Each structure stands twice: as C-alpha cells, then as structure tokens.
Amino acid sequence: MLTPPRLTLRLRLSISIIAIVALFTLTNITYQVSSENRNLRLDNLQNAVASQLGIVSIRQLLENQQKQILVLDALKASEGENLSQQEIDKGLEGLISLQAEIMRLKPFVFSETANSYDLLIENYESLNQDWRQFYVGYNDKRTPSIKKVEKKFNTTMKLLSEFESIEIVATEQQTLNLQRTVRFTDRITLAIYLFTIALTVSLGFLLIRYTNRSLNELNKGTVRIGGGDLKYHIPVNNDDEIGDLTIAFNQMSDKLSNAMAQVQQSKEKADQANRSKTNFLANMSHELRTPLNAIIGYSEMIIEDYREEKKLDEEQAVEDLQRILSSGRHLLQLINDVLDLAKIESGNMTVFNETFDCVDIIEELLTTMAPIAKKSGNLIVLEKSNDIPKLYNDAVKFRQLLLNLLSNACKFTQNGKITILASFNEKNNHAVFHVSDTGIGMTASQIDRVFKAFVQADSSTSKKYGGTGLGLAICKQFVELMQGSMDVTSAEGKGTTFTVLLPAKAVLQAPKDAIPSENQQELSLDIIDQSLDQTSQEDARDSLGKVLVIDDDPAARKLLLRHLEKEGFQALEANNAQDGIKIAKEQQPNLILLDLMMPNIDGWTALSVLKESEQTRHIPVILQSMLDEKTLGLDLGTADFLAKPVDRQRMATALRLLNPQDRRGVALLIAPESEARDSLLEELADEAWQCMTATSKNQANERMEQKNIDIIFIGLGIKNEAVKDILLTISTHQQKDSRSTPIYIVSETPLSKDQSRRLDLPADQIIIFNASKRNSTLKKLIATE
C-alpha cells in the first residue's frame, strides 16, 4: 500500500509555488496567443491596403498601355512613320513592368480570391501577348485587330474589378475572425489572472496562519526553557520541519542538564590552564631573574672595584664580562623561545630551505655540547650510517632542534650516556634521528604533557632543573614546519628517547630574499691593511660612508655607534625620529639604521616620511626591532631587517651589501654549476660584488655584451682548451672597449707545469680555491680590486 508523502512545510511551499507558477505560465501563453492574433490582424490590414494600392496602380497602368496601343493604331491607319527600334524596346519594357506589377498581387491573395486571381492572370497573359504582337509587327503591318484587343482589355479590367471586390470581402472576413479570437483569449487571460491572484492570497493566508500558530508555541516553549523550566516539553502538532524543530527543542532541554556538568568540567580545565600559566609565569620570572641577577651583580661588582681601586684586575674583569655576556645570551634565548612560540602560534614562522649536511651539523653540536656534558659527567656518542644524503630543509631550525634535545638530555642525565643515532630510510625517503639518554625518564602521564607549551613533565622539575617548559613544544612545532614528525618513548628511571623523522627534500622552498642571520658566514670588513698608518685608516673610514642611527634607547644607540666605528663607518646619531629625519635631509648619510619602537613618532611613520621625501627616498633604510617585522618592512620599502639586540656580523653583512661607496663592481664567473662555484659566489657577494655567471664561451660573450665587467674568474671544471678560447674572446672585448679587465684562473688543485704552460698565464693570476672554508688569498684579492 502506497503511503502519502510527508506534508512538510517545504513541500507545502513547493506545491503552492508550482501552482502559482503554472497559472502565471498559462496566463502568459494565452496572452501570447492573443498578441499573435492581434499581430495577424494588423498584418491583414496592411496586406489589404497594399493590395488595394497595387490594384489601383495596375488599373492605371493598364489604361495607359491601352491608350498607347490606340494611338499607335490611329497612326498606322493614317500611314504614319514606322516605329524605331528604341520605341519598340521601350514599349516592350513597359509591358514587362506591367506584368511584374500584376505578379506582386500574388502574396496578398486569400484562398477565397485564388480563382479570381488565376482567371485575371489568364486573361492578362492573352492581352499581353496581343500588345507585344502589336509592337513587334507594327512596322510589318502585322498587328492584331484593335477590336479584339479592346475586347480583351475590357474583360481584363472587369476581372480586375471583380478580384478587387472579392479581396475586400475576404479581408473583412479574416479581420472579423481574428477579432473574435482576440476577445476570447483576452477573457481567458483575465480569468486566469484573477484566479491566480485569489489562489496566491488564499495560500499565503493559510501558510501565515499555520506558521504563526506553530511559532507561537515554539516561542512559549523557549521562554519557559530559557527561564529554567527544563522539564517543559513543547507539544508536537505537526509532522514537518517545525515539528522537527520542536523535537529538537525538547531534546535540547533534556541535554541542558548534561551541559551544566560539562560546563563544570570546562571550568575545572580552565582553572587548570590558569594554574599552568601561573606556574609558567613563576618559572619564567625565575628564569629571567637568574641571568638578570648575574648581569646586574657582576656589573655592580666591576663598577665598585673600579671606584674603590681606580683600576681593574684584567683577568677578573674579563671573567666577569664573560659571565655577563653568557647571562645576556641566556636571557636573549629565553626571550627568543617565547617569541618563537608566539610566531609559530600566529602562523608567522617562516621556513628557509637549503641543502646541508646533517652529520656535519651534529658533529659541530657535539663539540659545542661537550663542555656541558662533561660538567654533568655525561658521555655523548654519535652513531651514524654512511648512506645519509644531504637534506634540503631548514638548517637553522635543524640545528636548534638538535641543540634543544641535547640540552634536555644533558640537563636530566647525570653521569650517564647520551647517544645520537642518525640513519636514512630509503623506503619513505626520510632521515631518522634518535636522541637517547640514560637519565631520569618519564611516566606515561608525563609523556602526554611533554610537548605542551608552558608545561613541564612534572611541576617539581622546574624547581630542581629549571626551565620554562617551552623547549620541547618549540621543537615539536619546528619539526612539523619542516614537514617531519617527532615522537618520544621513555620509562621512569631508565632514560628517554626522542625520535625525529625529516624528509630528505622538503616541498616548500624559502623566499629568495630571506637570509636567516644564524646561517650567514662570518664576514670581516677589515679591508684596511694593518700596516697602514693612522692617517690612512682615517681616510679609509671616511671613504666607507656615513651611517645614521635613529634610536631612543641611549644604550642601544651607543652600542651601535661603537660597532659602526669598529667597522670603519662615520656614525651619526639621533635620539628621536624627528631629529633623525632632519639629520638625514641635512647630512645625506649613505645608510640609516632605524628603530621601530620609539615614543611620539614611531619607526613606521619615520620610514614613511623618509621614503616620501625627495631628499631622502634614495637612502637605504635598515629596520631594527625585537619583533619579526621583516615582511612588512620590505613591503614598505626597507632595504633589510635586523633583529634586536643587533648581531655585529649580521649588521656588517647588511652594511657592506647596501653601502654604495663599498660596492666593488661586476664580477663574471665562468664555470660549470657546482657547490664550489656556489661557494665562490657567496664570497664574492659578501664582498659586495655584483655577480654574473656563464658556463660556456658563448654565454661569457653575451654577459660581456650586457655589462662592463670589472673582474673575471675562470675555472672550477672548465677544460684548458675551452679556457684558451674564452681568454681569446675576453681579449677581443678588451681591445674593442679599450679596457683591461683582471682575469684569474681558479682551481681546486694546483696546476701542473704543462697546464700552466698551455694557459700561458702568470702565476699570480692562478688561485687555488678551497670551497670548504673561507679563502684569505681570494678575500684580499676581491677586496682590493
């Protein structure tokens, strides 16, 4: 047995809409039919008028033609002159035109007038034949009888009049029929339209009354439930969406009691989170006070010793300053941990991918951690497989990740062993790192909390071992950013093992303009030879250019000024943005170091003013901030970004690359792609050379056509025969440009006598390059060219 469909509110609305749309469609159809009939009526009237006009025109043409025939007949009787061929042709053309006019009546013929029209055409064709014979046979005296022609003419005129009468009657009948049809369709259209309006109003009224009654019941129920009467149930009177909503309200009232319990549980969790934050703040304040106490204490001690004795014990002062520096770095690391976590949680942490040897980094870290491990009586061991390839990922984060894990292992292990096991899984193309220790270990509940921020495995841990509880949380986030995974296994009293899996090649690549400060090689700007006298050094310092420091912090400003003086720059200073902008316009420095956080006018506003002014927009600006504002700064036109406190080597690199007076020129490196070539390019870039590369003689020729080359390096894999061709090409360019460009052959191994003889180059033009470390000979060369 078929069950009727559920009469839901949606179904009711759908049926009503479909009925209304169907009625409106029917109304439109009847209207279209009526409109079409009107158009036919108008067409008939137009055709009738055109037909009448055509008949009048044809009657006139027939009469004119008959008159011409009568005139010609009279002339023939009086033995007049013959007709010329032109006159005959003109008469025949008139007959053709007359025939065309009669044929134009055909589209206006009704079924009632078809016989009359055919009879008219038949008589006209006979008359037309006689008229043609009259013209053609006029000169030969072979014309038809004029009486016969007149008789046919009269018959044709009579048939034309009859056709005209029948045509008028048929047109009137057609118009009358169409008029009746139009009136009928108009009545139907009006009736359907009125019925549609009535139906729409009725359906609307029923739906409004139905929904209003149901919503009133829902409103009553929500008021009672909202007032706390959770036992009240709204009556379910409808099997539709409103009925479903009523059931949902009733279920909601049943579940609210459970929700109250969940709220209580949530409150307990929130209290737990607040306690965790309170513990974190307590731990952090303790961790911050520890290095601060050391910094303040040793600083006061040095000042007191100097005030009392007017001199300092050099060894003791250096030892105290080292403690201050170590505490300052510790304090900076704590702040960086908090900032790193904030950047990770906000999604602003960036990954800088590069190719690196993970084993080299681990071995470097073992050297760094050796004193710390020895202090706790621990032994650090590296076990590695030989098939680990170079990784393409973030080397800086990898170093920090392993450093944190090793630091943790050393912290929680006494007189034990720490093992790093590095291997490679070819199946999933991942490098695997296990960091194991024989320390205090963790319970299962502690393992669940170990990667949570602000939480340590045990609250007593921070009291005994120190720490903020951020290190492992940051490590976990770093590994995920590097598209890897991190896990931990541990047993209480038996040690802990952290396992890290990293892909050999990460998908995401680093932005080309981003260079992490930790990953830059140290760069010495000491291009002034130590043998120069004091006057020459002062001249060299002036030649490096002026740098303006705008910072409201006197200590930070003075420290930057000292850094700049040590690097050989002439330093200018301003303690606020307004004075800095004024000095920049007056002194026209080569570079500006701008702090972002300043009172009154901040760094962003100052940057905007500097970039909008015609006097200062050409000066490169380097931003300084505790927060990572590099992306926004580059968008607003800054040349670079330095994190505070400013690292001297990082600042030196930025100044060297941006200072116009310190740029070297254009260097061309002709060599195949290799790590050695990339290393040489790094050294050239660090020394402010604009680098161009070529891998063949043709490419080298193109580069020399594009720009004037100041120095050329050849080698690192180029064959001797190809080198000679390249040298010949360079010589041709030098003769054409009247320039003498220095040329150097770069090789990773010393050249044999035979190779040197074939190259025919002096010994001082051959450089032995070691890609694994900085090359002092090459550095002096490219710094003095």
Side-chain angles (χ1 to χ4, degrees), residues 237-342:
N237 299 322
N238 307 299
D239 187 18
D240 55 11
E241 290 86 354
I242 295 179
D244 294 340
L245 183 60
T246 304
I247 295 172
F249 267 99
N250 293 335
Q251 292 175 347
M252 179 185 68
S253 65
D254 294 335
K255 294 178 180 178
L256 277 178
S257 57
N258 296 331
M260 298 299 293
Q262 293 176 0
V263 168
Q264 184 63 31
Q265 292 177 0
S266 299
K267 181 178 180 300
E268 293 177 358
K269 290 181 180 179
D271 292 340
Q272 178 64 34
N274 287 332
R275 286 193 294 270
S276 299
K277 289 184 179 180
T278 302
N279 293 335
F280 165 73
L281 291 175
N283 295 338
M284 179 59 75
S285 63
H286 171 74
E287 290 294 322
L288 292 176
R289 278 197 296 267
T290 300
L292 279 174
N293 288 337
I295 293 171
I296 295 171
Y298 283 109
S299 299
E300 289 177 345
M301 191 179 298
I302 292 174
I303 294 173
E304 288 176 0
D305 290 347
Y306 182 77
R307 284 178 176 175
E308 290 176 359
E309 302 181 7
K310 300 301 180 182
K311 63 180 181 178
L312 292 174
D313 184 341
E314 291 184 2
E315 292 185 3
Q316 184 64 43
V318 170
E319 184 178 347
D320 292 344
L321 289 173
Q322 286 178 342
R323 291 193 179 99
I324 292 173
L325 178 60
S326 176
S327 298
R329 287 175 174 170
H330 181 206
L331 182 61
L332 178 61
Q333 183 60 45
L334 292 173
I335 296 172
N336 285 339
D337 284 347
V338 177
L339 293 178
D340 283 345
L341 188 64

Side-chain angles (χ1 to χ4, degrees), residues 25-161:
T25 303
L26 184 58
T27 303
N28 186 51
I29 291 172
T30 55
Y31 174 77
Q32 293 295 331
V33 172
S34 178
S35 177
E36 186 177 353
N37 288 332
R38 288 190 183 91
N39 293 334
L40 287 174
R41 181 182 177 187
L42 291 175
D43 292 341
N44 288 339
L45 291 175
Q46 291 176 355
N47 291 339
V49 172
S51 176
Q52 294 302 314
L53 291 175
I55 291 171
V56 171
S57 176
I58 291 169
R59 181 180 287 110
Q60 184 64 42
L61 291 173
L62 289 171
E63 291 176 350
N64 292 337
Q65 186 62 44
Q66 181 63 20
K67 289 179 181 179
Q68 291 181 9
I69 295 299
L70 294 173
V71 170
L72 290 176
D73 184 68
L75 290 174
K76 184 184 70 168
S78 61
E79 297 183 354
E81 298 179 358
N82 291 337
L83 295 176
S84 64
Q85 186 61 41
Q86 184 178 2
E87 290 174 333
I88 294 172
D89 292 340
K90 186 176 181 182
L92 294 175
E93 289 176 0
L95 294 176
I96 294 172
S97 299
L98 178 57
Q99 186 177 13
E101 288 294 329
I102 293 175
M103 296 304 296
R104 286 196 183 98
L105 292 176
K106 189 173 183 179
F108 309 118
V109 175
F110 295 99
S111 59
E112 295 86 347
T113 60
N115 293 332
S116 178
Y117 177 75
D118 293 339
L119 187 58
L120 172 64
I121 293 297
E122 182 181 349
N123 280 273
Y124 169 74
E125 290 292 341
S126 178
L127 176 62
N128 184 56
Q129 186 66 28
D130 290 343
W131 282 346
R132 290 181 60 85
Q133 184 62 35
F134 204 91
Y135 281 107
V136 173
Y138 181 83
N139 293 334
D140 298 335
K141 309 302 180 180
R142 291 184 298 172
T143 58
S145 170
I146 193 63
K147 290 182 179 181
K148 180 182 177 183
V149 173
E150 285 183 353
K151 182 179 179 181
K152 289 183 180 181
F153 171 75
N154 292 331
T155 303
T156 301
M157 293 299 289
K158 181 180 178 181
L159 291 174
L160 181 61
S161 298

Side-chain angles (χ1 to χ4, degrees), residues 401-665:
L401 166 67
L402 266 294
L403 182 62
N404 282 350
L405 293 178
L406 289 173
S407 298
N408 257 25
C410 290
K411 181 192 295 186
F412 297 110
T413 305
Q414 296 290 331
N415 300 318
K417 181 180 179 181
I418 299 168
T419 305
I420 303 176
L421 175 60
S423 60
F424 184 72
N425 188 335
E426 295 184 359
K427 185 176 181 180
N428 57 14
N429 200 32
H430 275 63
V432 184
F433 305 94
H434 299 280
V435 180
S436 305
D437 63 62
T438 58
I440 61 176
M442 293 182 288
T443 64
S445 61
Q446 291 172 340
I447 292 175
D448 292 338
R449 301 193 302 269
V450 73
F451 291 124
K452 294 182 179 179
F454 313 117
V455 178
Q456 289 194 327
D458 195 317
S459 59
S460 61
T461 303
S462 59
K463 298 177 182 178
K464 184 176 181 180
Y465 297 99
T468 61
L470 294 178
L472 290 176
I474 293 174
C475 287
K476 180 76 169 178
Q477 298 288 346
F478 275 1
V479 171
E480 291 176 356
L481 285 173
M482 297 165 71
Q483 303 173 14
S485 61
M486 184 176 181
D487 198 5
V488 60
T489 56
S490 182
E492 190 173 7
K494 296 183 179 180
T496 303
T497 298
F498 287 93
T499 302
V500 177
L501 276 74
L502 292 177
K505 185 172 183 180
V507 177
L508 298 178
Q509 296 185 1
K512 294 182 179 180
D513 60 345
I515 305 176
S517 60
E518 301 90 341
N519 195 38
Q520 292 193 2
Q521 298 180 357
E522 292 187 357
L523 176 65
S524 174
L525 296 182
D526 191 13
I527 64 170
I528 306 170
D529 192 89
Q530 296 296 329
S531 62
L532 295 177
D533 57 14
Q534 185 65 28
T535 303
S536 299
Q537 292 181 6
E538 291 177 358
D539 293 341
R541 180 182 294 110
D542 292 340
S543 69
L544 286 176
K546 295 181 288 187
V547 179
L548 171 62
V549 179
I550 306 175
D551 197 328
D552 64 311
D553 184 356
R557 192 171 66 251
K558 294 299 181 185
L559 184 61
L560 283 174
L561 293 175
R562 289 181 64 180
H563 283 340
L564 291 171
E565 290 176 358
K566 284 181 177 293
E567 300 298 343
F569 289 92
Q570 180 182 351
L572 306 173
E573 62 176 310
N575 60 4
N576 59 74
Q578 186 174 0
D579 291 346
I581 294 170
K582 182 179 179 181
I583 294 173
K585 291 180 178 179
E586 293 176 353
Q587 298 290 332
Q588 291 292 304
N590 300 99
L591 292 166
I592 297 176
L593 292 175
L594 175 63
D595 185 32
L596 285 181
M597 304 300 292
M598 292 187 291
N600 299 326
I601 302 176
D602 61 9
W604 295 120
T605 306
L607 176 63
S608 176
V609 173
L610 290 170
K611 289 303 175 183
E612 290 176 359
S613 173
E614 293 184 359
Q615 298 174 273
T616 57
R617 66 176 53 171
H618 65 282
I619 304 175
V621 178
I622 301 177
L623 291 182
Q624 308 172 74
S625 176
M626 285 288 291
L627 303 177
D628 187 359
E629 303 285 357
K630 180 173 182 178
T631 302
L632 179 58
L634 293 176
D635 292 340
L636 296 178
T638 59
D640 207 340
F641 176 85
L642 297 177
K644 295 184 72 173
V646 176
D647 180 81
R648 179 183 173 187
Q649 299 300 333
R650 175 73 178 92
M651 182 187 71
T653 300
L655 294 176
R656 171 60 61 89
L657 294 175
L658 294 174
N659 183 19
Q661 298 186 22
D662 201 29
R663 296 190 186 121
R664 300 298 180 196

